[in-house]
Amino acid sequence: MSDLDNINSSFKQKFNSIKSKDELQNLKTEFFGKSGKITNEFKSLGSVEADKRKEFASSLNKLKDSLTSQLEKKYLEFETLEVNEKLKDEKLDVTLPTRSFQSGKIHPVSQVIDEISSIFSEIGFSVAEGPDVETEYNNFTALNTPENHPARDMHDTFYLEENKKILLRTHTSPVQIRTMLNEKPPFKIIVPGRTYRCDSDQTHAPMFHQLEGLHIDKNITMSHLKGCLDYFIKEFFEVKNIKMRFRPSHFPFTEPSAEVDIGYRIENGRIVIGEGDKWLEILGCGMVHPNVLRNVKVDPEKYQGFAFGMGIDRLAMLKYGINDLRAFFENDYRWLTHFGFDPLDVPTNYRGLSK
Ligand code: PHE
């Protein structure tokens, strides 16, 4: 056997029993270090007889290449093993049960406000807001409800001072006034918000929520109002057909005025909205009274339009089968867990409102 064959077989023997990166490093030094076996062979090249030198050099180079590539391959194997070992320790067990924390829920009233805003934004309404504490002027006088008007009593107002100039708003209609005073026509807004009346039973709470709608432009008619409400009710209750009727009514700030009822029936103890021979009142509406427009310096000869107001809590009760309004405001966590909504399921028209 030649020297090179010896080197090769001794390398093979040692190489096959290597168990760690360190051992590999030692082997590398043994053959390729300063006085390594291969290094020495290279050093001895000069003393090889001239006619054999070329052949010897070529075999030596081949051996060198073969050994280095084996060493490199083994090195990579150890590297991969090490990484895998590390990953095993870092493994994330996705089957671990979550820690028991109580996740929050969206209150049905907030959910319904989001749903309503989403539905109306689709047809060009923007959301306006106003304060809960209002002036008597914005809440009544500007809305064509002068002092001593009987409608003021119907509202069971909470006054905040003796001379009755400041109050808790009894409806969201004062935001009509605020918006029209601060901006220029056309107006196309909805106003969700808290409202207050001195009243409390299973279907009335002293604080409740209303949704106001106002659309003022040139040539807006009662049929726009009807189309708008028809669209809204269908979208909101997620039904294709809805029986709806307009009943003549009276509000000081609209003329003509109407109350809107929708058809329903009871099926297996549950309410089915949209069809049936029973009627449910859900909102008040009408064409904005010219006096209201004059009060906010809008010319009723040029601009006109409609307004409506509805109870948000009532809508939430109907849609989600909740039968006691008072539960809305008791902050009972068990009730919220049952009737509340997932915070990440934000209602949108394209993804769905409540599903
Ligand atoms: N503000 C009225 C109420 O609270 C509802 C309403 C709003 C009626 C707008 C007509 C137009 O009863």
Side-chain angles (χ1 to χ4, degrees):
M1 239 201 249
S2 75
D3 279 358
L4 294 190
D5 286 341
N6 278 334
I7 292 178
N8 193 19
S9 65
S10 102
F11 177 87
K12 239 187 215 158
Q13 215 179 18
K14 295 185 172 164
F15 184 80
N16 286 337
S17 60
I18 273 182
K19 291 207 178 52
S20 68
K21 241 179 170 179
D22 284 347
E23 285 176 31
L24 186 71
Q25 186 55 44
N26 291 341
L27 187 68
K28 194 175 171 190
T29 320
E30 189 181 332
F31 287 80
F32 292 95
K34 252 189 185 160
S35 48
K37 289 180 176 155
I38 297 285
T39 321
N40 287 342
E41 290 300 322
F42 274 104
K43 280 184 195 157
S44 70
L45 254 183
S47 57
V48 175
E49 287 160 43
D51 56 336
K52 295 200 178 138
R53 195 178 296 151
K54 210 173 158 198
E55 199 195 320
F56 180 76
S58 142
S59 312
L60 180 58
N61 268 322
K62 259 193 213 144
L63 181 63
K64 182 199 92 178
D65 289 346
S66 149
L67 301 194
T68 16
S69 90
Q70 289 180 66
L71 286 170
E72 273 166 13
K73 217 172 129 203
K74 196 79 181 168
Y75 183 82
L76 281 180
E77 274 173 37
F78 281 126
E79 286 268 275
T80 320
L81 268 178
E82 251 175 42
V83 172
N84 284 344
E85 204 59 32
K86 263 194 199 153
L87 283 179
K88 226 199 281 169
D89 291 343
E90 283 174 16
K91 205 168 79 178
L92 177 72
D93 185 354
V94 289
T95 63
L96 270 180
T98 54
R99 260 176 258 144
S100 69
F101 57 85
Q102 301 187 321
S103 60
K105 288 277 184 174
I106 300 293
H107 193 287
V109 170
S110 307
Q111 166 79 13
V112 163
I113 290 177
D114 287 349
E115 291 180 19
I116 292 172
S117 308
S118 166
I119 294 168
F120 278 104
S121 69
E122 196 78 346
I123 51 169
F125 283 81
S126 50
V127 176
E129 283 179 314
D132 295 9
V133 176
E134 257 300 356
T135 60
E136 167 272 340
Y137 178 80
N138 284 345
N139 195 82
F140 289 126
T141 314
L143 287 161
N144 201 33
T145 318
E147 233 170 291
N148 305 323
H149 191 291
R152 289 201 181 201
D153 292 337
M154 277 158 49
H155 278 205
D156 294 317
T157 313
F158 285 113
Y159 287 98
L160 297 180
E161 19 152 76
E162 249 165 53
N163 65 8
K164 295 192 167 180
K165 290 286 176 222
I166 304 288
L167 45 76
L168 289 174
R169 66 179 178 191
T170 58
H171 49 180
T172 40
S173 303
V175 187
Q176 289 188 30
I177 303 300
R178 287 177 173 272
T179 306
M180 292 195 285
L181 278 176
N182 288 328
E183 288 161 35
K184 297 229 160 341
F187 306 104
K188 200 171 180 186
I189 53 156
I190 54 162
V191 185
R194 291 196 186 104
T195 46
Y196 304 82
R197 287 182 205 178
C198 190
D199 205 354
S200 181
D201 61 36
Q202 193 177 343
T203 53
H204 294 92
M207 189 279 288
F208 56 104
H209 297 82
Q210 273 196 343
L211 177 86
E212 192 82 9
L214 175 72
H215 186 189
I216 302 285
D217 205 338
K218 291 173 178 157
N219 304 317
I220 295 291
T221 68
M222 199 99 182
S223 55
H224 292 111
L225 167 64
K226 202 169 174 192
C228 173
L229 292 176
D230 184 69
Y231 157 80
F232 167 70
I233 303 287
K234 280 183 194 156
E235 290 288 314
F236 180 73
F237 287 107
E238 299 174 57
V239 292
K240 289 223 162 47
N241 296 307
I242 198 100
K243 251 170 77 176
M244 194 164 84
R245 77 175 177 196
F246 280 61
R247 245 181 321 103
S249 183
H250 174 79
F251 299 102
F253 33 89
T254 45
E255 179 58 36
S257 303
E259 278 174 315
V260 174
D261 302 336
I262 53 174
Y264 77 99
R265 66 188 150 81
I266 302 287
E267 203 176 88
N268 302 326
R270 288 193 64 126
I271 184 163
V272 180
I273 300 282
E275 42 198 272
D277 45 16
K278 292 186 158 59
W279 293 103
L280 195 76
E281 182 203 319
I282 58 153
L283 63 90
C285 61
M287 300 303 290
V288 175
H289 198 292
N291 287 348
V292 175
L293 295 174
R294 279 184 209 108
N295 287 340
V296 294
K297 312 271 176 299
V298 170
D299 182 357
E301 299 298 323
K302 272 201 203 148
Y303 289 99
Q304 57 284 132
F306 62 78
F308 57 82
M310 57 184 116
I312 293 178
D313 317 270
R314 185 89 184 280
L315 289 177
M317 289 169 79
L318 286 172
K319 182 163 178 180
Y320 294 113
I322 301 165
N323 49 29
D324 192 339
L325 176 67
R326 289 168 296 195
F328 276 1
F329 311 117
E330 278 169 358
N331 288 330
D332 183 334
Y333 184 75
R334 291 161 305 176
W335 183 88
L336 248 182
T337 310
H338 182 74
F339 285 108
F341 291 82
D342 191 322
L344 297 176
D345 278 345
V346 182
T348 57
N349 294 309
Y350 52 92
R351 268 208 346 228
L353 294 174
S354 63
K355 285 162 197 139

